[in-house]
Amino acid sequence: MSGTGDQRAGGAGAAVPAVGADSAFHREHALRDEAPQYVLPLVVHIEKAEPPTRTDALETAARAVLVLLGDERAAGEGEWAQAVRDWQDARIRKVVRRARGAEWRKACALPGITVHGDAAEVRVYPPVPLDGWPKELAKLQVSGTDLDDPRPPAPPAEGTVVLWLNPDLEMSAGKAMAQAGHAAQLAWWELTRAEREAWRESGFALAVRTAAPERWARLGGSGLPLVRDAGFTEIAPGSATVIADHPALRARA
């Protein structure tokens, strides 16, 4: 499922410059729309007999985005760096597809990074042009990522980075995976180099939870990074989907 970020920092959606020099907030909105559009492909491994839980898949997808952003191949003169820059200069599109069996094995043969959760596996690839997907990925299904949690996830531990989902929106697991990835990326852009390194050393520890309505209302005015969806799939344009509650950002909000 796709997720296209009209992604902004600053609570109610005001675009403000991020700490990171790689932030797309340094570019005017119109310029981002006019730039060639790229997409970040994510493939989730879903076998019929043993699918991952929904929360595990969401958290693993968010970490996969961070792992790619923090990879040396995505920075400087790395082999993926130009593709990542081109992608971040435009809208930050992410598309989640599913694979199993031979499809998954073929997907794993392409250059990318597989990130493991408790049981979930998500492979993230360097960005590709919107109409330039590798054939092994282009034929994978977008639908069919409807995952469930057999029991409510435990409350996140104190000090954990939490990506809070809007309790008023219903999203498929694939859509929510893309939105969680957007929120993780917004938090990454806002962090200093030292804060990024600390997060990386933790294995990009994070939790994805649905906020209680009263918490969501408080978070909306907190100044923390907020994702607003472009509305191409499932939900209305401008919908606030996820807020990234990182302790370092909360201290500055």
Side-chain angles (χ1 to χ4, degrees):
M1 182 57 62
S2 65
T4 304
D6 180 7
Q7 302 155 65
R8 307 183 181 189
V16 297
V19 173
D22 51 355
S23 170
F25 298 136
H26 290 297
R27 291 175 57 84
E28 292 296 331
H29 219 50
L31 294 179
R32 291 174 56 208
D33 287 334
E34 293 170 4
Q37 299 296 305
Y38 283 72
V39 61
L40 186 78
L42 295 132
V43 176
V44 56
H45 184 195
I46 301 180
E47 296 290 346
K48 286 184 178 180
E50 296 184 49
T53 65
R54 180 183 174 96
T55 295
D56 190 14
L58 267 59
E59 292 174 349
T60 305
R63 289 194 300 111
V65 172
L66 294 165
V67 167
L68 181 129
L69 291 172
D71 193 282
E72 61 183 12
R73 289 168 289 184
E77 300 303 316
E79 61 186 291
W80 299 343
Q82 187 60 55
V84 170
R85 284 193 292 269
D86 289 343
W87 169 59
Q88 292 191 134
D89 280 347
R91 287 194 177 270
I92 311 303
R93 297 174 183 257
K94 299 177 182 70
V95 172
V96 177
R97 297 178 184 259
R98 63 176 173 85
R100 60 173 177 262
E103 293 174 334
W104 174 249
R105 291 190 291 273
K106 289 178 182 178
C108 287
L110 297 176
I113 306 169
T114 299
V115 177
H116 300 268
D118 292 336
E121 291 180 292
V122 175
R123 190 162 178 84
V124 61
Y125 303 85
V128 298
L130 200 57
D131 58 356
W133 284 68
K135 64 180 185 300
E136 295 88 347
L137 303 183
K139 63 184 180 182
L140 298 177
Q141 295 296 311
V142 176
S143 60
T145 53
D146 293 323
L147 304 172
D148 297 310
D149 286 314
R151 61 188 64 84
E158 187 70 26
T160 301
V161 178
V162 185
L163 309 178
W164 294 104
L165 301 172
N166 186 340
D168 297 324
L169 292 178
E170 290 188 9
M171 295 183 283
S172 68
K175 179 73 171 182
M177 288 169 70
Q179 299 299 306
H182 292 337
Q185 188 168 1
L186 290 187
W188 173 263
W189 279 342
E190 290 280 291
L191 297 174
T192 65
R193 181 176 299 179
E195 290 163 348
R196 289 180 179 184
E197 189 56 35
W199 201 7
R200 190 204 321 267
E201 288 177 358
S202 77
F204 293 116
L206 57 83
V208 179
R209 298 290 187 270
T210 299
E214 59 274 16
R215 182 190 293 272
W216 182 258
R218 291 197 307 271
L219 289 168
S222 67
L224 291 167
L226 171 84
V227 179
R228 289 192 182 275
D229 191 61
F232 294 145
T233 59
E234 295 194 23
I235 56 179
S239 296
T241 58
V242 191
I243 293 174
D245 187 1
H246 191 296
L249 302 182
R250 194 187 319 132
R252 296 200 289 267

